[in-house]
Every structure is written in structure tokens, then in C-alpha cells.
């Protein structure tokens, strides 16, 4: 066998073509989780189920999306593959979706939703790794922004399509739509997306047909990445904004139908503000990430050129990118991805949205206010995704663990969202929507504090990790 060319040398058209297909696949978690939200009352009636069990189909979907992220990243790292993970996952998603169409019991729907989520999670697990395969470091911020825009489109169109389908053909038709979309992604991955995993080339060159570790060992290794202090802080910084967004998303149908008297279709349309802000934030945040990264890089290069003679005297070499390289390990400037814009979103944009939503609903103000507030929440959440994913990709790509790191971060955020979405309605009934707005604003401030600490101390944390890896002789660069 002949090793495939380095994906970073592909023409731009091929790079962005593959990115577009991966971004379309990344739509599935948001699309599938919101597609049937407008039909929840119909599901309760049709399956004769308590509301808590129907809510569980949403909470477990989010939880299994996180579990699936680790599962697929472990498979990818075990067998040096990404392409067949995407193809297999789309098959699982499509089969589970058609099963949801025919299901007759709430217990069956719960099980099939978990399988559907397992398939949908593949782009969540491998998207960042695929980007690190295909794009150079200087291009990754924009690439992650476009990839995140794909994931943002799902929640944008899901409730609108779901509301229209529910009103026109019943809630089951939403799963026919999901099946068709899954099969489309399945075909596109087979026809258009080559293997990109760089370890695959190394495996071919060495004629090693077996996995480098067992799947279970790689699953344990993936979980162990969460013990890195900087990975944990990034997971917190990105996890709580997602949980805040999903908490509000869960209670919106109940509030808008009961308090404001909206139909299923109009409830779906109301999600457009949040979806639009998701897309807008993913593009703006990606551009901001690359801008501040290049600006910091230029400043660092200038300073390093002035001190290059002393660096060479200490046994260090200076790379054109402005990265200090000692021995075989390259320490990238991942903290440059945490920008002033990201801090502003966490300290101002998200809290403004939660307070606007909670207080306006509490005082029965105009429906425009909670809709705008939800837009602010979604904008800030998507910025936190772009920021933390690009940070983790840059921080962990030298170890070849970008997929594992983002998988752990996704598991953490989805676990938080699953718990909060399960208790959101009882919490609202017990405390009132006003206190949900106040508490989630405080949580956003605390999470942003973690991001600021990571900005200031992240490089020291990673230097300690590098020293530990060298001491145990376990590092093998993936770059």
C-alpha cells in the first residue's frame, strides 16, 4: 500500500469540500435534538407517556452524544481512521432514526434516541481532529468557525422544520427527515471524503495492520486526558455555557405555549434568533481567533528575533512560526486562542441574555425580549465552543490527542446539559424563571473566570505536562 499525501498539502477546494461535508455531519446533534421539540406535546399524547419520560429522551440524547464522542475518538485513535468512523456512524444514525419513526412505546423511543445520538456524535468527536489533519495551525481558527457554523445550523433549522412537519404530517415525520439527512451524509462520506488521519500514513509505511492499542485502552487514555488541568479548565469554560443554553432551550416550549399562547410552528420559528446568533458567532469568533493568534504570533516573533542569539546559546532553536522548539517537542501558543472577545462574551453577552430572558418572562413582558435574550445566550455559547475547541486542538495536536481532548470536553459539557435539562422544568416550577436567569448569569461569570485563569496560567500547566511526558519517555509527536 502507498501512504496518502499529507492532507495539509491538498488544494483549498478539496480541503473546504471535505470541511463542508464534515460540517454538514456536525449539524446532526443539534438538528436531531431540536427537530422534534415542537412535537413534544403530541408525543406525550400519542405514546400516553408522562412528560418526564419524554424529557428523558432529550436529556439522554445529550448525554449519549458525549459518551459517543469518546467512543468514536477511541476507535479513531485505535485504528488510525476517521473516514470509516464517519461512515459507520451515519449508518447507525439512519437505522435508529427510521426505528424512531415506527416506535410504539416511550421506552423504545428512549433506547432508539440513545442509538441515534451515538451515531450523530461522530462529527462532535472527530471534527476537531479532522481539522487538525487537514489545516495548518494558522488556518484552524477559521476552519473551526466554519465547522461550528455547521453545528449551529442544526438548532437553527431543526425547530422550524420540526414545527412545520409536526403540524403537517405528525411528529413521526420528523424522524423520516432525520433518516434522509443521515443517508445523504452517509453517501457523501463514502464518495467524497478520503482518510485524513496522519497516523494512518505512518501505519501504512510500517506495514502495521493492527491497532496501536486496544479500543478499551484508548478509551481509558481518552478519559485520562480530562485529568490534565488545562483540559479540565477548558472543559468547564465551554461546558457551562452549553448547559446554560440547553437549560433555556428545554423550557422554551412550555413557556411560549402556556404563557404566550404560541402554536408548535411558531415555537419552532422562535428558535430562529438563537440559531442565527449561533451561526453569526461561529463565523465572527473563528475570524477573531485567527486574528488575535496571528497578532500574538507576530509580536512573539519580533521579540524572539531580538533574543535569538541568547536562545541558541541555551540550546533552543527558533521556528519561523514563533514557537520555541526544544528537543522533539513543540509547545504551541494555544492560550492565544483565548481572546478579549471571548472574555467579553462570557462576562457580558451570556449574562445579559440570561437576565433578559428570566426577568422579561417573570414580568410577562413582550415576547421579543426573551427571544432576543436567547439570541445573546446562543451567541456567547457558540463563541465559547470555538474558543475552547481551537485551544484544545492547538494544545493537544503535538501529542496526537486532539480528538481525545475535545471528546472529553464534549462529554463534560453534555453531562452538564443532560442533568440541567432533566431538572429544568421542575427547577422553574420550584424557583421561578427569574432565579434561573440570575443563577445562570453567575455561573457564566464563574466559567469565564476559569477561562481567564487558563489564559494566564495555561502555558505553565502545559510546560509541566511536557516535563512529565519527557521524564517518562512516552511522547511521540503527531505533527
Amino acid at each position: 500500500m502507498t501512504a496518502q499525501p499529507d492532507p495539509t498539502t491538498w488544494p483549498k477546494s478539496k480541503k473546504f469540500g471535505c470541511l463542508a461535508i464534515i460540517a454538514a455531519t456536525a449539524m446532526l446533534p443539534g438538528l436531531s435534538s431540536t427537530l422534534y421539540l415542537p412535537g413534544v406535546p403530541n408525543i406525550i399524547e400519542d405514546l400516553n407517556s408522562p412528560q418526564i419520560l419524554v424529557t428523558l429522551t432529550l436529556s439522554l440524547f445529550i448525554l449519549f452524544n458525549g459518551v459517543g464522542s469518546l467512543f468514536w475518538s477511541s476507535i479513531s485513535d485505535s485504528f488510525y481512521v476517521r473516514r470509516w468512523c464517519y461512515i459507520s456512524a451515519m449508518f447507525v444514525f439512519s437505522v435508529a432514526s427510521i426505528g424512531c419513526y415506527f416506535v410504539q412505546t416511550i421506552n423504545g423511543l428512549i433506547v432508539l434516541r440513545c442509538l441515534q445520538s451515538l451515531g450523530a456524535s461522530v462529527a462532535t468527536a472527530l471534527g476537531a481532529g479532522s481539522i487538525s489533519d487537514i489545516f495548518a495551525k494558522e488556518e484552524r481558527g477559521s476552519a473551526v468557525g466554519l465547522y461550528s457554523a455547521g453545528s449551529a445550523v442544526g438548532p437553527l433549522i431543526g425547530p422550524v422544520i420540526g414545527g412545520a412537519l409536526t403540524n403537517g404530517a405528525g411528529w413521526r415525520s420528523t424522524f423520516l427527515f432525520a433518516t434522509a439527512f443521515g443517508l445523504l451524509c452517509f453517501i457523501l462520506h463514502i464518495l467524497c471524503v478520503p482518510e485524513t488521519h496522519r497516523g494512518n500514513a505512518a501505519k501504512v509505511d510500517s506495514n502495521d495492520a493492527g491497532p496501536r492499542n486496544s479500543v478499551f485502552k484508548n478509551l481509558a487514555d481518552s478519559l485520562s486526558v480530562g485529568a490534565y488541568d488545562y483540559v479540565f479548565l477548558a472543559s468547564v469554560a465551554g461546558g457551562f455555557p452549553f448547559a446554560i443554553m440547553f437549560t433555556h432551550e428545554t423550557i422554551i416550549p412550555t413557556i411560549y405555549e402556556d404563557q404566550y399562547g404560541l402554536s408548535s410552528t411558531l415555537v419552532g420559528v422562535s428558535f430562529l434568533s438563537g440559531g442565527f446568533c449561533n451561526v453569526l458567532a461561529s463565523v465572527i469568533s473563528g475570524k477573531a481567533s485567527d486574528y488575535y493568534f496571528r497578532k500574538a504570533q507576530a509580536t512573539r516573533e519580533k521579540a524572539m528575533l531580538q533574543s535569538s542569539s541568547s536562545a541558541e546559546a541555551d540550546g533552543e532553536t527558533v521556528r519561523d512560526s514563533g514557537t520555541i522548539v526544544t528537543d522533539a517537542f513543540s509547545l504551541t501558543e494555544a492560550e492565544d486562542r483565548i481572546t478579549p472577545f471571548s472574555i467579553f462574551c462570557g462576562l457580558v453577552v451570556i449574562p445579559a441574555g440570561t437576565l433578559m430572558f428570566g426577568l422579561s418572562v417573570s414580568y410577562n413582558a413582550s415576547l421579543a425580549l426573551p427571544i432576543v435574550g436567547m439570541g445573546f445566550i446562543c451567541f456567547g455559547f457558540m463563541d465559547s465552543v470555538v474558543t475552547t475547541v481551537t485551544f484544545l486542538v492547538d494544545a493537544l495536536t503535538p501529542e496526537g490527542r486532539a480528538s481525545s481532548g475535545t471528546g472529553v470536553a464534549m462529554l463534560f459539557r453534555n453531562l452538564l446539559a443532560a442533568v440541567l435539562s432533566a431538572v429544568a422544568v421542575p427547577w422553574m416550577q420550584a424557583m421561578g424563571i427569574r432565579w434561573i436567569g440570575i443563577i445562570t448569569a453567575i455561573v457564566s461569570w464563574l466559567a469565564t473566570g476559569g477561562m481567564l485563569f487558563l489564559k494566564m496560567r495555561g502555558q505553565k500547566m502545559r510546560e509541566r505536562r511536557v516535563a512529565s511526558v519527557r521524564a517518562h519517555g512516552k511522547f511521540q509527536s503527531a505533527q
Side-chain angles (χ1 to χ4, degrees):
M1 293 178 65
T2 303
Q4 295 294 319
D6 184 349
T8 60
T9 65
W10 289 350
K12 276 194 173 183
S13 58
K14 186 173 182 178
K15 286 185 179 182
F16 283 97
C18 290
L19 177 62
I21 295 171
I22 293 168
T25 309
M27 288 173 59
L28 286 175
L31 179 69
S32 303
S33 64
T34 60
L35 193 63
Y36 84 141
L37 273 180
V40 165
N42 305 74
I43 297 173
I44 293 172
E45 181 180 352
D46 192 22
L47 297 183
N48 193 25
S49 170
Q51 182 176 356
I52 187 65
L53 290 183
V54 176
T55 302
L56 196 61
T57 65
L58 179 62
S59 300
L60 288 179
F61 184 95
I62 297 303
L63 178 60
F64 270 77
N65 196 255
V67 173
S69 297
L70 277 182
F71 172 77
W72 293 116
S73 64
S74 298
I75 294 289
S76 177
D77 289 342
S78 294
F79 294 95
Y80 305 95
V81 293
R82 303 210 198 278
R83 182 172 183 263
W84 283 105
C85 289
Y86 285 116
I87 293 170
S88 301
M90 289 302 93
F91 178 78
V92 171
F93 175 84
S94 300
V95 171
S97 296
I98 197 66
C100 289
Y101 174 80
F102 289 106
V103 75
Q104 297 298 321
T105 66
I106 187 62
N107 291 334
L109 183 61
I110 290 172
V111 172
L112 288 168
R113 285 283 287 172
C114 292
L115 289 175
Q116 192 189 36
S117 180
L118 184 67
S121 65
V122 66
T124 306
L126 304 185
S130 296
I131 288 171
S132 72
D133 295 340
I134 298 171
F135 292 91
K137 185 170 61 176
E138 294 78 11
E139 304 172 305
R140 286 178 194 158
S142 295
V144 169
L146 293 173
Y147 158 75
S148 299
S151 65
V153 169
L156 171 62
I157 65 175
V160 180
I161 295 174
L165 288 174
T166 299
N167 278 348
W171 65 269
R172 294 180 186 274
S173 63
T174 63
F175 291 108
L176 282 182
F177 181 89
T179 302
F181 198 95
L183 288 174
L184 175 62
C185 292
F186 175 77
I187 293 169
L188 287 174
H189 277 284
I190 289 177
L191 297 180
C192 304
V193 182
E195 181 57 65
T196 64
H197 200 302
R198 300 192 194 184
N200 191 272
K203 178 184 72 174
V204 171
D205 289 341
S206 64
N207 295 316
D208 178 10
R212 105 181 126 182
N213 283 317
S214 72
V215 174
F216 292 107
K217 185 177 187 304
N218 274 317
L219 182 58
D221 287 345
S222 295
L223 287 170
S224 72
V225 175
Y228 301 179
D229 43 10
Y230 53 92
V231 174
F232 176 76
L233 278 175
S235 300
V236 169
F240 277 105
F242 179 72
I244 290 169
M245 184 274 295
F246 218 86
T247 298
H248 287 78
E249 192 172 81
T250 302
I251 61 180
I252 277 177
T254 300
I255 292 173
Y256 287 3
E257 289 185 19
D258 294 348
Q259 185 168 330
Y260 290 96
L262 299 189
S263 65
S264 297
T265 300
L266 291 178
V267 169
V269 171
S270 74
F271 281 91
L272 282 173
S273 70
F276 174 76
C277 288
N278 275 339
V279 175
L280 184 64
S282 63
V283 175
I284 293 176
S285 299
K287 296 292 185 183
S289 176
D290 281 346
Y291 169 77
Y292 282 106
F293 181 86
R294 292 189 181 110
K295 184 178 180 181
Q297 194 175 59
T299 301
R300 190 176 292 106
E301 281 182 346
K302 183 177 180 180
M304 290 179 67
L305 285 173
Q306 295 173 349
S307 59
S308 59
S309 57
S310 61
E312 290 172 1
D314 291 335
E316 298 172 342
T317 59
V318 180
R319 181 187 288 175
D320 288 342
S321 66
T323 302
I324 295 180
V325 183
T326 308
D327 300 328
F329 193 91
S330 170
L331 190 64
T332 61
E333 302 83 1
E335 291 73 29
D336 294 339
R337 299 295 186 180
I338 303 172
T339 68
F341 184 73
S342 303
I343 302 302
F344 174 79
C345 285
L347 290 179
V348 177
V349 177
I350 295 178
T354 65
L355 292 171
M356 184 183 297
F357 187 97
L359 294 175
S360 61
V361 171
S362 178
Y363 290 104
N364 201 29
S366 168
L367 179 61
L369 291 175
I371 288 176
V372 172
M374 188 63 186
F376 282 8
I377 294 169
C378 290
F379 188 98
F381 145 69
M382 186 53 64
D383 175 80
S384 74
V385 170
V386 174
T387 299
T388 54
V389 167
T390 49
F391 169 81
L392 289 170
V393 168
D394 283 357
L396 295 170
T397 291
E399 288 188 64
R401 310 193 78 178
S403 289
S404 296
T406 54
V408 167
M410 298 303 177
L411 176 62
F412 180 82
R413 84 177 196 183
N414 286 21
L415 179 61
L416 281 175
V419 171
L420 288 181
S421 64
V423 302
V425 174
W427 185 19
M428 178 181 66
Q429 293 170 344
M431 300 181 61
I433 186 63
R434 179 192 314 175
W435 281 104
I436 291 181
I438 294 171
I439 292 172
T440 51
I442 294 171
V443 168
S444 180
W445 290 326
L446 293 175
T448 307
M451 189 180 291
L452 275 169
F453 187 80
L454 185 61
K455 174 74 172 176
M456 295 183 292
R457 303 294 299 173
Q459 185 173 346
K460 294 293 183 182
M461 296 176 186
R462 292 187 298 115
E463 285 173 351
R464 287 197 299 270
R465 166 67 186 163
V466 172
S468 174
V469 168
R470 286 179 179 156
H472 291 87
K474 293 181 179 178
F475 175 75
Q476 292 181 337
S477 177
Q479 295 201 121

